[in-house]
Amino acid sequence: MPLFRTLLCATILAGTLGVASAQTTTSQTAPAAAFTDVQRQAIEGIIKDYLVKNPDVLQEAIAEGERRQQETQKLAQSAALKEAREALINSPHGVVAGNPNGDVTMVEFFDYNCGYCRKALSDIQALIKGDPKLRVVLKDFPVLGAESLEASKIALAAKQQLKGDKVFEFHTKLLESKGRVNGERALAVGKEMGLDVSRLLKDAQGPEVKAALSENVGLGDKLGLSGTPAFIIGDEVIPGAVGVEPIRKTISDVRQCGHANC
């Protein structure tokens, strides 16, 4: 990389000096003119030739760009987490599972048609079962189309008729459904659990459900979430179905020192 920068600077300097020399008869203080087409082609040719002969330089540049992008995203997420902490943890719109008074809260953004969310369900169940002090907040984030949105509306409406562990039971049944999950499937689960289907349909279009979805989408955008599942534990955003152990480790870190990666 140093050689490339030296070569590039030397080329630019040479071109600039050439232009400057041509201008000295006009003015000692006038700014250098833009590169001529011939000069520009020469510079581009040198750069191209160098990159072809040294492809590792380009790979290093790409890797560095990705590192900086990840670092920028991490800083933005940290700021967003601080700003949105209360809405993430204590919003009345969230579905709470596990210990409602737990000492550590794990938030999951999910979509009912996300295969990885279905895979992660067993991880969440295992974490709840193995950690009696864990509090889990589930947030509908229907990013996979109209069917997901329909399902989330009915699921959030069902929350108005269900209490305690029954809310998580509804969530589990719907997420474990075979094939595409839509409003019709969500209504079938509601009927199976003895809910008032007419009320479900009405509440699904009501202000509480709209407020919940609007809040969740806003939080997801603020955190820069690009897919599901996404877990938030303390100051850490964990994208994807990463398995039980990485999540358990983060929970342990937050419990031990107040943040991830002690």
PDB file of all heavy atoms in Angstrom, residues 63-104:
ATOM      1  N   ALA A  63     -11.184  -4.888   2.275  1.00  0.00           N
ATOM      2  CA  ALA A  63     -11.294  -5.355   3.658  1.00  0.00           C
ATOM      3  C   ALA A  63     -11.316  -4.180   4.630  1.00  0.00           C
ATOM      4  O   ALA A  63     -12.088  -4.167   5.593  1.00  0.00           O
ATOM      5  CB  ALA A  63     -10.137  -6.292   3.991  1.00  0.00           C
ATOM      6  N   GLU A  64     -10.476  -3.196   4.372  1.00  0.00           N
ATOM      7  CA  GLU A  64     -10.437  -2.019   5.232  1.00  0.00           C
ATOM      8  C   GLU A  64     -11.742  -1.232   5.133  1.00  0.00           C
ATOM      9  O   GLU A  64     -12.268  -0.730   6.140  1.00  0.00           O
ATOM     10  CB  GLU A  64      -9.255  -1.127   4.846  1.00  0.00           C
ATOM     11  CG  GLU A  64      -9.156   0.193   5.605  1.00  0.00           C
ATOM     12  CD  GLU A  64      -8.939   0.012   7.097  1.00  0.00           C
ATOM     13  OE1 GLU A  64      -8.567  -1.094   7.531  1.00  0.00           O
ATOM     14  OE2 GLU A  64      -9.134   1.002   7.834  1.00  0.00           O
ATOM     15  N   GLY A  65     -12.292  -1.139   3.919  1.00  0.00           N
ATOM     16  CA  GLY A  65     -13.570  -0.447   3.749  1.00  0.00           C
ATOM     17  C   GLY A  65     -14.692  -1.146   4.503  1.00  0.00           C
ATOM     18  O   GLY A  65     -15.522  -0.488   5.142  1.00  0.00           O
ATOM     19  N   GLU A  66     -14.699  -2.480   4.442  1.00  0.00           N
ATOM     20  CA  GLU A  66     -15.712  -3.243   5.169  1.00  0.00           C
ATOM     21  C   GLU A  66     -15.542  -3.077   6.672  1.00  0.00           C
ATOM     22  O   GLU A  66     -16.530  -2.957   7.413  1.00  0.00           O
ATOM     23  CB  GLU A  66     -15.629  -4.719   4.789  1.00  0.00           C
ATOM     24  CG  GLU A  66     -16.081  -5.004   3.359  1.00  0.00           C
ATOM     25  CD  GLU A  66     -15.891  -6.459   2.965  1.00  0.00           C
ATOM     26  OE1 GLU A  66     -15.171  -7.181   3.708  1.00  0.00           O
ATOM     27  OE2 GLU A  66     -16.451  -6.867   1.929  1.00  0.00           O
ATOM     28  N   ARG A  67     -14.301  -3.074   7.134  1.00  0.00           N
ATOM     29  CA  ARG A  67     -14.037  -2.899   8.573  1.00  0.00           C
ATOM     30  C   ARG A  67     -14.545  -1.544   9.053  1.00  0.00           C
ATOM     31  O   ARG A  67     -15.192  -1.438  10.090  1.00  0.00           O
ATOM     32  CB  ARG A  67     -12.541  -3.016   8.848  1.00  0.00           C
ATOM     33  CG  ARG A  67     -12.192  -3.009  10.343  1.00  0.00           C
ATOM     34  CD  ARG A  67     -10.702  -2.804  10.565  1.00  0.00           C
ATOM     35  NE  ARG A  67     -10.261  -1.475  10.170  1.00  0.00           N
ATOM     36  CZ  ARG A  67     -10.458  -0.382  10.908  1.00  0.00           C
ATOM     37  NH1 ARG A  67     -11.097  -0.456  12.069  1.00  0.00           N
ATOM     38  NH2 ARG A  67     -10.016   0.795  10.495  1.00  0.00           N
ATOM     39  N   ARG A  68     -14.271  -0.514   8.272  1.00  0.00           N
ATOM     40  CA  ARG A  68     -14.716   0.830   8.655  1.00  0.00           C
ATOM     41  C   ARG A  68     -16.238   0.932   8.629  1.00  0.00           C
ATOM     42  O   ARG A  68     -16.843   1.591   9.483  1.00  0.00           O
ATOM     43  CB  ARG A  68     -14.107   1.875   7.716  1.00  0.00           C
ATOM     44  CG  ARG A  68     -12.603   2.012   7.863  1.00  0.00           C
ATOM     45  CD  ARG A  68     -12.072   3.192   7.061  1.00  0.00           C
ATOM     46  NE  ARG A  68     -10.627   3.274   7.112  1.00  0.00           N
ATOM     47  CZ  ARG A  68      -9.916   4.284   6.602  1.00  0.00           C
ATOM     48  NH1 ARG A  68     -10.552   5.278   5.987  1.00  0.00           N
ATOM     49  NH2 ARG A  68      -8.609   4.287   6.696  1.00  0.00           N
ATOM     50  N   GLN A  69     -16.859   0.264   7.642  1.00  0.00           N
ATOM     51  CA  GLN A  69     -18.319   0.278   7.554  1.00  0.00           C
ATOM     52  C   GLN A  69     -18.931  -0.410   8.773  1.00  0.00           C
ATOM     53  O   GLN A  69     -19.906   0.087   9.347  1.00  0.00           O
ATOM     54  CB  GLN A  69     -18.776  -0.417   6.271  1.00  0.00           C
ATOM     55  CG  GLN A  69     -20.291  -0.354   6.053  1.00  0.00           C
ATOM     56  CD  GLN A  69     -20.704  -1.018   4.751  1.00  0.00           C
ATOM     57  OE1 GLN A  69     -19.922  -1.725   4.134  1.00  0.00           O
ATOM     58  NE2 GLN A  69     -21.928  -0.795   4.338  1.00  0.00           N
ATOM     59  N   GLN A  70     -18.368  -1.548   9.163  1.00  0.00           N
ATOM     60  CA  GLN A  70     -18.858  -2.261  10.338  1.00  0.00           C
ATOM     61  C   GLN A  70     -18.665  -1.444  11.604  1.00  0.00           C
ATOM     62  O   GLN A  70     -19.531  -1.419  12.486  1.00  0.00           O
ATOM     63  CB  GLN A  70     -18.136  -3.607  10.467  1.00  0.00           C
ATOM     64  CG  GLN A  70     -18.521  -4.610   9.380  1.00  0.00           C
ATOM     65  CD  GLN A  70     -17.654  -5.864   9.415  1.00  0.00           C
ATOM     66  OE1 GLN A  70     -16.721  -5.958  10.207  1.00  0.00           O
ATOM     67  NE2 GLN A  70     -17.961  -6.814   8.545  1.00  0.00           N
ATOM     68  N   GLU A  71     -17.543  -0.757  11.682  1.00  0.00           N
ATOM     69  CA  GLU A  71     -17.260   0.076  12.840  1.00  0.00           C
ATOM     70  C   GLU A  71     -18.248   1.232  12.922  1.00  0.00           C
ATOM     71  O   GLU A  71     -18.764   1.556  14.002  1.00  0.00           O
ATOM     72  CB  GLU A  71     -15.828   0.621  12.743  1.00  0.00           C
ATOM     73  CG  GLU A  71     -15.323   1.286  14.002  1.00  0.00           C
ATOM     74  CD  GLU A  71     -13.859   1.671  13.882  1.00  0.00           C
ATOM     75  OE1 GLU A  71     -13.005   0.816  14.156  1.00  0.00           O
ATOM     76  OE2 GLU A  71     -13.579   2.826  13.487  1.00  0.00           O
ATOM     77  N   THR A  72     -18.528   1.847  11.781  1.00  0.00           N
ATOM     78  CA  THR A  72     -19.496   2.945  11.736  1.00  0.00           C
ATOM     79  C   THR A  72     -20.884   2.460  12.125  1.00  0.00           C
ATOM     80  O   THR A  72     -21.605   3.125  12.888  1.00  0.00           O
ATOM     81  CB  THR A  72     -19.537   3.564  10.322  1.00  0.00           C
ATOM     82  OG1 THR A  72     -18.236   4.063   9.987  1.00  0.00           O
ATOM     83  CG2 THR A  72     -20.552   4.699  10.255  1.00  0.00           C
ATOM     84  N   GLN A  73     -21.266   1.279  11.597  1.00  0.00           N
ATOM     85  CA  GLN A  73     -22.568   0.711  11.921  1.00  0.00           C
ATOM     86  C   GLN A  73     -22.665   0.392  13.411  1.00  0.00           C
ATOM     87  O   GLN A  73     -23.705   0.615  14.036  1.00  0.00           O
ATOM     88  CB  GLN A  73     -22.814  -0.553  11.103  1.00  0.00           C
ATOM     89  CG  GLN A  73     -24.200  -1.168  11.326  1.00  0.00           C
ATOM     90  CD  GLN A  73     -24.405  -2.425  10.497  1.00  0.00           C
ATOM     91  OE1 GLN A  73     -23.457  -3.008   9.988  1.00  0.00           O
ATOM     92  NE2 GLN A  73     -25.637  -2.834  10.352  1.00  0.00           N
ATOM     93  N   LYS A  74     -21.577  -0.117  13.976  1.00  0.00           N
ATOM     94  CA  LYS A  74     -21.555  -0.461  15.395  1.00  0.00           C
ATOM     95  C   LYS A  74     -21.759   0.782  16.249  1.00  0.00           C
ATOM     96  O   LYS A  74     -22.518   0.770  17.228  1.00  0.00           O
ATOM     97  CB  LYS A  74     -20.209  -1.108  15.726  1.00  0.00           C
ATOM     98  CG  LYS A  74     -20.124  -1.750  17.090  1.00  0.00           C
ATOM     99  CD  LYS A  74     -20.813  -3.076  17.107  1.00  0.00           C
ATOM    100  CE  LYS A  74     -20.592  -3.803  18.417  1.00  0.00           C
ATOM    101  NZ  LYS A  74     -21.334  -5.072  18.481  1.00  0.00           N
ATOM    102  N   LEU A  75     -21.088   1.864  15.886  1.00  0.00           N
ATOM    103  CA  LEU A  75     -21.231   3.111  16.639  1.00  0.00           C
ATOM    104  C   LEU A  75     -22.652   3.651  16.529  1.00  0.00           C
ATOM    105  O   LEU A  75     -23.230   4.129  17.517  1.00  0.00           O
ATOM    106  CB  LEU A  75     -20.230   4.148  16.117  1.00  0.00           C
ATOM    107  CG  LEU A  75     -18.755   3.881  16.433  1.00  0.00           C
ATOM    108  CD1 LEU A  75     -17.871   4.871  15.698  1.00  0.00           C
ATOM    109  CD2 LEU A  75     -18.519   3.957  17.939  1.00  0.00           C
ATOM    110  N   ALA A  76     -23.221   3.570  15.314  1.00  0.00           N
ATOM    111  CA  ALA A  76     -24.593   4.042  15.111  1.00  0.00           C
ATOM    112  C   ALA A  76     -25.584   3.202  15.914  1.00  0.00           C
ATOM    113  O   ALA A  76     -26.532   3.723  16.512  1.00  0.00           O
ATOM    114  CB  ALA A  76     -24.947   4.000  13.626  1.00  0.00           C
ATOM    115  N   GLN A  77     -25.360   1.882  15.940  1.00  0.00           N
ATOM    116  CA  GLN A  77     -26.243   0.994  16.706  1.00  0.00           C
ATOM    117  C   GLN A  77     -26.137   1.273  18.203  1.00  0.00           C
ATOM    118  O   GLN A  77     -27.154   1.261  18.907  1.00  0.00           O
ATOM    119  CB  GLN A  77     -25.903  -0.467  16.416  1.00  0.00           C
ATOM    120  CG  GLN A  77     -26.457  -0.973  15.094  1.00  0.00           C
ATOM    121  CD  GLN A  77     -26.197  -2.456  14.893  1.00  0.00           C
ATOM    122  OE1 GLN A  77     -25.261  -3.021  15.453  1.00  0.00           O
ATOM    123  NE2 GLN A  77     -27.012  -3.095  14.076  1.00  0.00           N
ATOM    124  N   SER A  78     -24.932   1.538  18.686  1.00  0.00           N
ATOM    125  CA  SER A  78     -24.741   1.830  20.106  1.00  0.00           C
ATOM    126  C   SER A  78     -25.505   3.082  20.512  1.00  0.00           C
ATOM    127  O   SER A  78     -26.167   3.114  21.555  1.00  0.00           O
ATOM    128  CB  SER A  78     -23.246   2.004  20.415  1.00  0.00           C
ATOM    129  OG  SER A  78     -22.551   0.804  20.209  1.00  0.00           O
ATOM    130  N   ALA A  79     -25.430   4.106  19.663  1.00  0.00           N
ATOM    131  CA  ALA A  79     -26.160   5.338  19.940  1.00  0.00           C
ATOM    132  C   ALA A  79     -27.667   5.098  19.899  1.00  0.00           C
ATOM    133  O   ALA A  79     -28.421   5.597  20.741  1.00  0.00           O
ATOM    134  CB  ALA A  79     -25.765   6.423  18.929  1.00  0.00           C
ATOM    135  N   ALA A  80     -28.106   4.313  18.909  1.00  0.00           N
ATOM    136  CA  ALA A  80     -29.540   4.013  18.780  1.00  0.00           C
ATOM    137  C   ALA A  80     -30.037   3.183  19.954  1.00  0.00           C
ATOM    138  O   ALA A  80     -31.169   3.383  20.434  1.00  0.00           O
ATOM    139  CB  ALA A  80     -29.796   3.280  17.467  1.00  0.00           C
ATOM    140  N   LEU A  81     -29.216   2.249  20.440  1.00  0.00           N
ATOM    141  CA  LEU A  81     -29.606   1.420  21.584  1.00  0.00           C
ATOM    142  C   LEU A  81     -29.839   2.268  22.832  1.00  0.00           C
ATOM    143  O   LEU A  81     -30.796   2.044  23.576  1.00  0.00           O
ATOM    144  CB  LEU A  81     -28.523   0.375  21.864  1.00  0.00           C
ATOM    145  CG  LEU A  81     -28.536  -0.867  20.975  1.00  0.00           C
ATOM    146  CD1 LEU A  81     -27.300  -1.724  21.235  1.00  0.00           C
ATOM    147  CD2 LEU A  81     -29.790  -1.686  21.203  1.00  0.00           C
ATOM    148  N   LYS A  82     -28.975   3.227  23.054  1.00  0.00           N
ATOM    149  CA  LYS A  82     -29.138   4.115  24.213  1.00  0.00           C
ATOM    150  C   LYS A  82     -30.428   4.925  24.093  1.00  0.00           C
ATOM    151  O   LYS A  82     -31.183   5.068  25.052  1.00  0.00           O
ATOM    152  CB  LYS A  82     -27.937   5.054  24.324  1.00  0.00           C
ATOM    153  CG  LYS A  82     -26.652   4.361  24.744  1.00  0.00           C
ATOM    154  CD  LYS A  82     -25.504   5.352  24.827  1.00  0.00           C
ATOM    155  CE  LYS A  82     -24.200   4.649  25.211  1.00  0.00           C
ATOM    156  NZ  LYS A  82     -23.058   5.598  25.259  1.00  0.00           N
ATOM    157  N   GLU A  83     -30.666   5.428  22.899  1.00  0.00           N
ATOM    158  CA  GLU A  83     -31.835   6.273  22.679  1.00  0.00           C
ATOM    159  C   GLU A  83     -33.137   5.479  22.768  1.00  0.00           C
ATOM    160  O   GLU A  83     -34.156   5.977  23.252  1.00  0.00           O
ATOM    161  CB  GLU A  83     -31.725   6.939  21.307  1.00  0.00           C
ATOM    162  CG  GLU A  83     -32.861   7.894  20.991  1.00  0.00           C
ATOM    163  CD  GLU A  83     -32.733   8.503  19.601  1.00  0.00           C
ATOM    164  OE1 GLU A  83     -31.619   8.465  19.036  1.00  0.00           O
ATOM    165  OE2 GLU A  83     -33.745   9.010  19.082  1.00  0.00           O
ATOM    166  N   ALA A  84     -33.108   4.214  22.297  1.00  0.00           N
ATOM    167  CA  ALA A  84     -34.338   3.419  22.205  1.00  0.00           C
ATOM    168  C   ALA A  84     -34.482   2.399  23.326  1.00  0.00           C
ATOM    169  O   ALA A  84     -35.379   1.553  23.282  1.00  0.00           O
ATOM    170  CB  ALA A  84     -34.365   2.702  20.855  1.00  0.00           C
ATOM    171  N   ARG A  85     -33.617   2.446  24.324  1.00  0.00           N
ATOM    172  CA  ARG A  85     -33.588   1.425  25.378  1.00  0.00           C
ATOM    173  C   ARG A  85     -34.955   1.177  26.001  1.00  0.00           C
ATOM    174  O   ARG A  85     -35.410   0.041  26.140  1.00  0.00           O
ATOM    175  CB  ARG A  85     -32.580   1.848  26.453  1.00  0.00           C
ATOM    176  CG  ARG A  85     -32.559   0.982  27.711  1.00  0.00           C
ATOM    177  CD  ARG A  85     -31.825  -0.298  27.543  1.00  0.00           C
ATOM    178  NE  ARG A  85     -30.567  -0.182  26.858  1.00  0.00           N
ATOM    179  CZ  ARG A  85     -29.947  -1.223  26.321  1.00  0.00           C
ATOM    180  NH1 ARG A  85     -30.509  -2.422  26.375  1.00  0.00           N
ATOM    181  NH2 ARG A  85     -28.789  -1.081  25.714  1.00  0.00           N
ATOM    182  N   GLU A  86     -35.638   2.222  26.378  1.00  0.00           N
ATOM    183  CA  GLU A  86     -36.919   2.074  27.083  1.00  0.00           C
ATOM    184  C   GLU A  86     -37.964   1.414  26.195  1.00  0.00           C
ATOM    185  O   GLU A  86     -38.693   0.518  26.635  1.00  0.00           O
ATOM    186  CB  GLU A  86     -37.418   3.445  27.560  1.00  0.00           C
ATOM    187  CG  GLU A  86     -38.654   3.397  28.446  1.00  0.00           C
ATOM    188  CD  GLU A  86     -38.440   2.675  29.775  1.00  0.00           C
ATOM    189  OE1 GLU A  86     -37.281   2.538  30.209  1.00  0.00           O
ATOM    190  OE2 GLU A  86     -39.443   2.244  30.373  1.00  0.00           O
ATOM    191  N   ALA A  87     -38.048   1.847  24.941  1.00  0.00           N
ATOM    192  CA  ALA A  87     -39.017   1.253  24.012  1.00  0.00           C
ATOM    193  C   ALA A  87     -38.685  -0.204  23.714  1.00  0.00           C
ATOM    194  O   ALA A  87     -39.584  -1.025  23.525  1.00  0.00           O
ATOM    195  CB  ALA A  87     -39.058   2.060  22.719  1.00  0.00           C
ATOM    196  N   LEU A  88     -37.408  -0.537  23.669  1.00  0.00           N
ATOM    197  CA  LEU A  88     -37.007  -1.914  23.414  1.00  0.00           C
ATOM    198  C   LEU A  88     -37.372  -2.826  24.575  1.00  0.00           C
ATOM    199  O   LEU A  88     -37.874  -3.939  24.379  1.00  0.00           O
ATOM    200  CB  LEU A  88     -35.491  -1.990  23.181  1.00  0.00           C
ATOM    201  CG  LEU A  88     -34.970  -1.551  21.817  1.00  0.00           C
ATOM    202  CD1 LEU A  88     -33.450  -1.399  21.867  1.00  0.00           C
ATOM    203  CD2 LEU A  88     -35.364  -2.544  20.739  1.00  0.00           C
ATOM    204  N   ILE A  89     -37.123  -2.363  25.786  1.00  0.00           N
ATOM    205  CA  ILE A  89     -37.236  -3.209  26.970  1.00  0.00           C
ATOM    206  C   ILE A  89     -38.629  -3.190  27.587  1.00  0.00           C
ATOM    207  O   ILE A  89     -39.171  -4.230  27.983  1.00  0.00           O
ATOM    208  CB  ILE A  89     -36.204  -2.775  28.038  1.00  0.00           C
ATOM    209  CG1 ILE A  89     -34.787  -2.815  27.472  1.00  0.00           C
ATOM    210  CG2 ILE A  89     -36.319  -3.652  29.287  1.00  0.00           C
ATOM    211  CD1 ILE A  89     -34.335  -4.160  27.013  1.00  0.00           C
ATOM    212  N   ASN A  90     -39.231  -2.003  27.665  1.00  0.00           N
ATOM    213  CA  ASN A  90     -40.447  -1.858  28.468  1.00  0.00           C
ATOM    214  C   ASN A  90     -41.678  -1.368  27.708  1.00  0.00           C
ATOM    215  O   ASN A  90     -42.644  -0.927  28.330  1.00  0.00           O
ATOM    216  CB  ASN A  90     -40.175  -0.910  29.645  1.00  0.00           C
ATOM    217  CG  ASN A  90     -39.165  -1.478  30.623  1.00  0.00           C
ATOM    218  OD1 ASN A  90     -39.224  -2.654  30.970  1.00  0.00           O
ATOM    219  ND2 ASN A  90     -38.223  -0.642  31.057  1.00  0.00           N
ATOM    220  N   SER A  91     -41.658  -1.442  26.403  1.00  0.00           N
ATOM    221  CA  SER A  91     -42.839  -1.010  25.647  1.00  0.00           C
ATOM    222  C   SER A  91     -44.039  -1.906  25.973  1.00  0.00           C
ATOM    223  O   SER A  91     -43.911  -3.127  26.065  1.00  0.00           O
ATOM    224  CB  SER A  91     -42.564  -1.072  24.148  1.00  0.00           C
ATOM    225  OG  SER A  91     -43.761  -0.877  23.417  1.00  0.00           O
ATOM    226  N   PRO A  92     -45.226  -1.315  26.129  1.00  0.00           N
ATOM    227  CA  PRO A  92     -46.425  -2.124  26.379  1.00  0.00           C
ATOM    228  C   PRO A  92     -46.812  -2.985  25.185  1.00  0.00           C
ATOM    229  O   PRO A  92     -47.639  -3.881  25.306  1.00  0.00           O
ATOM    230  CB  PRO A  92     -47.501  -1.076  26.677  1.00  0.00           C
ATOM    231  CG  PRO A  92     -47.014   0.172  25.998  1.00  0.00           C
ATOM    232  CD  PRO A  92     -45.537   0.132  26.127  1.00  0.00           C
ATOM    233  N   HIS A  93     -46.222  -2.722  24.036  1.00  0.00           N
ATOM    234  CA  HIS A  93     -46.568  -3.467  22.823  1.00  0.00           C
ATOM    235  C   HIS A  93     -45.795  -4.785  22.701  1.00  0.00           C
ATOM    236  O   HIS A  93     -46.145  -5.627  21.880  1.00  0.00           O
ATOM    237  CB  HIS A  93     -46.287  -2.607  21.592  1.00  0.00           C
ATOM    238  CG  HIS A  93     -47.025  -1.312  21.578  1.00  0.00           C
ATOM    239  ND1 HIS A  93     -48.392  -1.234  21.711  1.00  0.00           N
ATOM    240  CD2 HIS A  93     -46.571  -0.033  21.462  1.00  0.00           C
ATOM    241  CE1 HIS A  93     -48.760   0.047  21.665  1.00  0.00           C
ATOM    242  NE2 HIS A  93     -47.671   0.786  21.518  1.00  0.00           N
ATOM    243  N   GLY A  94     -44.755  -4.958  23.481  1.00  0.00           N
ATOM    244  CA  GLY A  94     -43.943  -6.161  23.360  1.00  0.00           C
ATOM    245  C   GLY A  94     -44.620  -7.385  23.979  1.00  0.00           C
ATOM    246  O   GLY A  94     -45.436  -7.276  24.889  1.00  0.00           O
ATOM    247  N   VAL A  95     -44.285  -8.554  23.440  1.00  0.00           N
ATOM    248  CA  VAL A  95     -44.732  -9.831  24.014  1.00  0.00           C
ATOM    249  C   VAL A  95     -43.624 -10.326  24.932  1.00  0.00           C
ATOM    250  O   VAL A  95     -42.485 -10.495  24.503  1.00  0.00           O
ATOM    251  CB  VAL A  95     -45.017 -10.870  22.917  1.00  0.00           C
ATOM    252  CG1 VAL A  95     -45.296 -12.240  23.530  1.00  0.00           C
ATOM    253  CG2 VAL A  95     -46.200 -10.426  22.053  1.00  0.00           C
ATOM    254  N   VAL A  96     -43.943 -10.534  26.203  1.00  0.00           N
ATOM    255  CA  VAL A  96     -42.935 -10.929  27.189  1.00  0.00           C
ATOM    256  C   VAL A  96     -43.040 -12.419  27.475  1.00  0.00           C
ATOM    257  O   VAL A  96     -44.120 -12.942  27.736  1.00  0.00           O
ATOM    258  CB  VAL A  96     -43.088 -10.127  28.497  1.00  0.00           C
ATOM    259  CG1 VAL A  96     -42.061 -10.593  29.530  1.00  0.00           C
ATOM    260  CG2 VAL A  96     -42.927  -8.640  28.226  1.00  0.00           C
ATOM    261  N   ALA A  97     -41.891 -13.094  27.420  1.00  0.00           N
ATOM    262  CA  ALA A  97     -41.814 -14.517  27.756  1.00  0.00           C
ATOM    263  C   ALA A  97     -40.733 -14.699  28.816  1.00  0.00           C
ATOM    264  O   ALA A  97     -39.961 -13.777  29.099  1.00  0.00           O
ATOM    265  CB  ALA A  97     -41.495 -15.344  26.516  1.00  0.00           C
ATOM    266  N   GLY A  98     -40.674 -15.893  29.401  1.00  0.00           N
ATOM    267  CA  GLY A  98     -39.705 -16.124  30.453  1.00  0.00           C
ATOM    268  C   GLY A  98     -40.130 -15.458  31.744  1.00  0.00           C
ATOM    269  O   GLY A  98     -41.324 -15.329  32.032  1.00  0.00           O
ATOM    270  N   ASN A  99     -39.159 -14.989  32.502  1.00  0.00           N
ATOM    271  CA  ASN A  99     -39.432 -14.330  33.785  1.00  0.00           C
ATOM    272  C   ASN A  99     -39.701 -12.847  33.543  1.00  0.00           C
ATOM    273  O   ASN A  99     -38.798 -12.111  33.149  1.00  0.00           O
ATOM    274  CB  ASN A  99     -38.220 -14.494  34.700  1.00  0.00           C
ATOM    275  CG  ASN A  99     -38.450 -13.942  36.095  1.00  0.00           C
ATOM    276  OD1 ASN A  99     -39.387 -13.186  36.326  1.00  0.00           O
ATOM    277  ND2 ASN A  99     -37.602 -14.317  37.021  1.00  0.00           N
ATOM    278  N   PRO A 100     -40.940 -12.379  33.773  1.00  0.00           N
ATOM    279  CA  PRO A 100     -41.249 -10.969  33.512  1.00  0.00           C
ATOM    280  C   PRO A 100     -40.449 -10.008  34.388  1.00  0.00           C
ATOM    281  O   PRO A 100     -40.332  -8.820  34.066  1.00  0.00           O
ATOM    282  CB  PRO A 100     -42.752 -10.870  33.814  1.00  0.00           C
ATOM    283  CG  PRO A 100     -43.050 -12.049  34.682  1.00  0.00           C
ATOM    284  CD  PRO A 100     -42.104 -13.113  34.264  1.00  0.00           C
ATOM    285  N   ASN A 101     -39.886 -10.517  35.496  1.00  0.00           N
ATOM    286  CA  ASN A 101     -39.071  -9.691  36.391  1.00  0.00           C
ATOM    287  C   ASN A 101     -37.599 -10.103  36.343  1.00  0.00           C
ATOM    288  O   ASN A 101     -36.857  -9.875  37.305  1.00  0.00           O
ATOM    289  CB  ASN A 101     -39.598  -9.805  37.824  1.00  0.00           C
ATOM    290  CG  ASN A 101     -41.035  -9.339  37.953  1.00  0.00           C
ATOM    291  OD1 ASN A 101     -41.386  -8.248  37.508  1.00  0.00           O
ATOM    292  ND2 ASN A 101     -41.885 -10.165  38.536  1.00  0.00           N
ATOM    293  N   GLY A 102     -37.189 -10.701  35.236  1.00  0.00           N
ATOM    294  CA  GLY A 102     -35.819 -11.184  35.111  1.00  0.00           C
ATOM    295  C   GLY A 102     -34.774 -10.089  35.197  1.00  0.00           C
ATOM    296  O   GLY A 102     -35.068  -8.912  34.976  1.00  0.00           O
ATOM    297  N   ASP A 103     -33.547 -10.477  35.509  1.00  0.00           N
ATOM    298  CA  ASP A 103     -32.475  -9.487  35.677  1.00  0.00           C
ATOM    299  C   ASP A 103     -31.789  -9.121  34.369  1.00  0.00           C
ATOM    300  O   ASP A 103     -31.079  -8.119  34.284  1.00  0.00           O
ATOM    301  CB  ASP A 103     -31.440  -9.994  36.689  1.00  0.00           C
ATOM    302  CG  ASP A 103     -30.758 -11.286  36.234  1.00  0.00           C
ATOM    303  OD1 ASP A 103     -31.261 -11.937  35.302  1.00  0.00           O
ATOM    304  OD2 ASP A 103     -29.711 -11.630  36.823  1.00  0.00           O
ATOM    305  N   VAL A 104     -31.979  -9.930  33.318  1.00  0.00           N
ATOM    306  CA  VAL A 104     -31.439  -9.618  31.994  1.00  0.00           C
ATOM    307  C   VAL A 104     -32.562  -9.785  30.973  1.00  0.00           C
ATOM    308  O   VAL A 104     -33.302 -10.773  31.013  1.00  0.00           O
ATOM    309  CB  VAL A 104     -30.262 -10.543  31.617  1.00  0.00           C
ATOM    310  CG1 VAL A 104     -29.845 -10.313  30.164  1.00  0.00           C
ATOM    311  CG2 VAL A 104     -29.070 -10.313  32.538  1.00  0.00           C
TER     312      VAL A 104
END
